Amino acid sequence: MKLHYNTQEQTLVIQDGLKNHHFLLKLLMILNLLNAILNVSTFSISSIGFMQLVWLFLGLVSVVVLYNLTVKNTTSEKIPVSAIKGLKEYSFFGKKRLAIVLNNGKKRDLVEVKTPEEFKEARKIMKQVGVNGL
């Protein structure tokens, strides 16, 4: 886990490569959405078939994922302590995860925190910074 506190700038520094991961996901979702639009735009209401419904569903899923990646999450690697609301633990497909909740409503996932020791270390760092759990 590469999570540490920069005392000079009073920021929490996270180095986990999440920015590249989110960029690739956004690119794939945009391509998927464009493909869905192209496939759905060629049919008429009277001739809706199974493939058009599949493309409509894929387009809607792409829109939801893009919304979540751009509006609800952040990939900032330097987060000012004043912008942090708290630390939140949640379950994703049965695995416990940690996320930093920001004052603007976004969250920053800590994807590299996986083991119980890393959970304790992350909580310890957040407590030193002065951030409590939610």
Side-chain angles (χ1 to χ4, degrees), residues 10-119:
Q10 293 194 351
T11 58
L12 195 63
V13 180
I14 307 165
Q15 298 170 340
D16 58 359
L18 189 64
K19 190 173 278 198
N20 292 334
H21 185 281
H22 274 233
F23 173 73
L24 288 175
L25 275 174
K26 286 178 188 177
L27 180 66
L28 286 174
M29 287 300 117
I30 289 170
L31 289 175
N32 195 26
L33 182 62
L34 289 174
N35 199 5
I37 289 170
L38 287 174
N39 281 300
V40 170
S41 66
T42 60
F43 76 93
S44 65
I45 299 294
S46 61
S47 66
I48 294 178
F50 177 72
M51 287 308 295
Q52 284 80 19
L53 291 175
V54 169
W55 280 112
L56 214 88
F57 176 74
L58 287 174
L60 290 174
V61 168
S62 296
V63 168
V64 169
V65 170
L66 278 170
Y67 174 78
N68 191 21
L69 289 175
T70 56
V71 176
K72 296 290 185 180
N73 291 332
T74 184
T75 59
S76 299
E77 293 178 348
K78 290 184 178 182
I79 302 173
V81 175
S82 60
I84 298 174
K85 187 177 190 178
L87 189 66
K88 180 180 177 183
E89 184 177 323
Y90 66 98
S91 181
F92 185 73
F93 289 121
K95 294 183 180 180
K96 289 186 179 181
R97 301 283 184 188
L98 277 179
I100 298 171
V101 180
L102 303 178
N103 290 331
N104 62 4
K106 292 186 176 189
K107 72 175 188 172
R108 172 59 160 91
D109 292 322
L110 299 174
V111 293
E112 292 294 319
V113 178
K114 296 177 182 174
T115 65
E117 294 81 23
E118 290 173 342
F119 272 79

